[in-house]
Amino acid sequence: MATVQKVPATVNGVNVDGLFSTIDAVKATPAIANFKFRVHNQWEGASQNRSTVGSFYGAGQELSRTRPFVLVADEPAVLLGHDLAANPVEYLLHALASCLTTSMVYHAAARGIQIQEIESSLEGDIDLHGFLDLDRNVRKGYQGIRVTFKIKADGSDERIQEIAQLGTRYSPVFDSLTKGVPVSVTAERL
Amino acid sequence: MATVQKVPATVNGVNVDGLFSTIDAVKATPAIANFKFRVHNQWEGASQNRSTVGSFYGAGQELSRTRPFVLVADEPAVLLGHDLAANPVEYLLHALASCLTTSMVYHAAARGIQIQEIESSLEGDIDLHGFLDLDRNVRKGYQGIRVTFKIKADGSDERIQEIAQLGTRYSPVFDSLTKGVPVSVTAERL
């Protein structure tokens, strides 16, 4: 007798059965929704440092990767670095781009909306008068960030806008960056 | 006759002469302080996408890298990904760690404060009730981020705190994340 194995429903490459199972699991056990993400960073001299991304807490347990991910930061020569890697404010743009994209892909999948392609261009403005302490009225960080998505999907132009709005409505990085996050910083002697 | 070549003053690996030259140049020509940083992101299916970091605008000109930096994002299995790379909210922590570190290193260098070592551990809390749209009172993004620095430098314990405060006072990512940034998102059909 042939056994019938259920193939998980997949939309946009996302396991939609898994997504709805996660939602059901969180409804049944709210505490499993608490996640703690972490990095450990080490200065390597001058403008270089590297973060190691390994374990995190989620679904009620400590979880780790089979191997850590290493993220290197540097600055370009005009900002007195050696240009060996993207700089911190570029990593921030990557975090935003990747989070908006994944958020729209997942939430579109949950709604059965198929997407063929997504690309985005991000640009953010920084006035160094802030960082260099030359003008107290100029902020140190980004004054504004512009994100332009190009999306290939079936349906009307309204559908394209609907997909993009799933990104801004659900993205954790978009929410963190536009609304702000309390950050506590402490220091001790090594 | 021997020629005497001036060696640039370096503190914490940072070319301090270059730093003060930059400050003088910005004072003389304020417009060169305007920087535009960019990434271009491409969805690769499911939870994977990659950003390319290449050109940026600064010091009054378009500047590019000799080769682009590629940053890949994925999600761990518990978040329905293939765990091939750090996820977007981990990239956000790396952006914060690297920017705080570089900011304290540069501003300490400008003050002649020598630092031997810096490391930091970051942890941020996310409650998936937000992303999963199960509770409108729970935010999608980080509820809070804790940063713990360990710093090796000569001097008193007050000196250690002073160095850490240079990070929070000047870091563009810390400023962006704690105060929030206006982000405009537009979408068009590909």
Side-chain angles (χ1 to χ4, degrees):
Chain A
M1 199 175 79
T3 58
V4 178
Q5 201 169 357
K6 188 169 180 288
V7 177
T10 298
V11 181
N12 302 331
V14 178
N15 177 346
V16 179
D17 288 347
L19 188 52
F20 286 115
S21 297
T22 301
I23 291 170
D24 289 342
V26 169
K27 282 179 179 171
T29 315
I32 65 168
N34 295 324
F35 276 65
K36 291 180 194 296
F37 294 101
R38 304 170 186 140
V39 306
H40 185 263
N41 185 278
Q42 186 96 34
W43 179 44
E44 299 191 315
S47 50
Q48 281 174 252
N49 61 73
R50 70 177 57 213
S51 291
T52 307
V53 179
S55 72
F56 62 99
Y57 178 86
Q61 59 197 303
E62 283 293 319
L63 293 163
S64 60
R65 271 67 182 242
T66 50
R67 75 275 174 230
F69 303 117
V70 176
L71 310 175
V72 182
D74 195 359
E75 294 289 349
V78 71
L79 295 172
L80 307 174
H82 295 98
D83 206 15
L84 295 174
N87 79 2
V89 294
E90 291 169 328
Y91 273 104
L92 185 67
L93 296 182
H94 168 61
L96 179 59
S98 60
C99 196
L100 282 167
T101 298
T102 300
S103 297
M104 64 178 75
V105 165
Y106 276 40
H107 279 275
R111 288 159 177 75
I113 300 172
Q114 298 203 345
I115 306 171
Q116 278 94 51
E117 291 178 47
I118 307 175
E119 51 181 77
S120 57
S121 295
L122 287 79
E123 186 176 72
D125 306 315
I126 291 183
D127 181 343
L128 279 191
H129 282 89
F131 179 78
L132 294 175
D133 213 12
L134 293 173
D135 185 343
R136 293 196 172 185
N137 296 317
V138 175
R139 71 179 299 179
K140 323 298 187 195
Y142 276 118
Q143 298 178 312
I145 295 171
R146 295 167 294 284
V147 185
T148 310
F149 274 100
K150 292 189 178 179
I151 299 168
K152 186 172 177 182
D154 295 338
S156 64
D157 287 351
E158 286 68 34
R159 175 50 58 93
I160 300 298
Q161 299 306 319
E162 183 189 350
I163 293 169
Q165 284 159 16
L166 293 174
T168 54
R169 198 190 306 168
Y170 294 111
S171 161
V173 173
F174 181 82
D175 178 78
S176 299
L177 192 53
T178 55
K179 295 182 184 153
V181 175
V183 179
S184 73
V185 179
T186 59
E188 59 187 64
R189 187 180 291 279
L190 181 66
Chain B
M1 200 175 79
T3 58
V4 179
Q5 201 169 356
K6 188 171 179 291
V7 177
T10 297
V11 181
N12 303 330
V14 177
N15 177 345
V16 179
D17 289 347
L19 188 53
F20 286 115
S21 297
T22 301
I23 291 171
D24 289 341
V26 168
K27 283 180 180 170
T29 315
I32 65 168
N34 295 323
F35 276 66
K36 291 179 193 296
F37 294 101
R38 304 169 185 140
V39 306
H40 185 263
N41 186 277
Q42 185 97 32
W43 180 44
E44 299 190 316
S47 51
Q48 281 174 253
N49 61 72
R50 70 177 58 213
S51 291
T52 306
V53 179
S55 72
F56 62 97
Y57 178 86
Q61 60 197 303
E62 283 293 319
L63 293 163
S64 61
R65 271 66 182 241
T66 51
R67 76 275 175 230
F69 304 117
V70 176
L71 310 175
V72 182
D74 196 359
E75 294 288 350
V78 72
L79 295 173
L80 307 174
H82 295 98
D83 207 15
L84 296 174
N87 79 1
V89 294
E90 291 168 329
Y91 273 104
L92 186 66
L93 295 183
H94 168 59
L96 179 60
S98 60
C99 196
L100 282 167
T101 299
T102 300
S103 298
M104 66 178 75
V105 166
Y106 276 41
H107 279 276
R111 287 159 178 75
I113 300 172
Q114 298 204 347
I115 306 171
Q116 278 93 52
E117 291 179 48
I118 307 174
E119 51 181 77
S120 56
S121 295
L122 286 78
E123 185 176 72
D125 307 315
I126 291 183
D127 181 343
L128 278 191
H129 282 89
F131 179 79
L132 294 175
D133 213 12
L134 293 173
D135 186 340
R136 294 196 173 186
N137 295 318
V138 175
R139 71 179 300 180
K140 323 298 186 194
Y142 276 117
Q143 298 177 313
I145 296 171
R146 295 167 294 284
V147 184
T148 310
F149 274 99
K150 292 189 179 180
I151 299 168
K152 186 171 177 183
D154 295 338
S156 64
D157 287 352
E158 286 67 37
R159 174 51 57 91
I160 300 298
Q161 300 306 320
E162 182 189 351
I163 292 169
Q165 284 160 16
L166 293 174
T168 54
R169 197 190 307 168
Y170 294 110
S171 161
V173 172
F174 181 83
D175 177 80
S176 300
L177 192 55
T178 54
K179 295 185 183 152
V181 175
V183 179
S184 73
V185 179
T186 59
E188 59 187 64
R189 188 181 289 280
L190 181 66

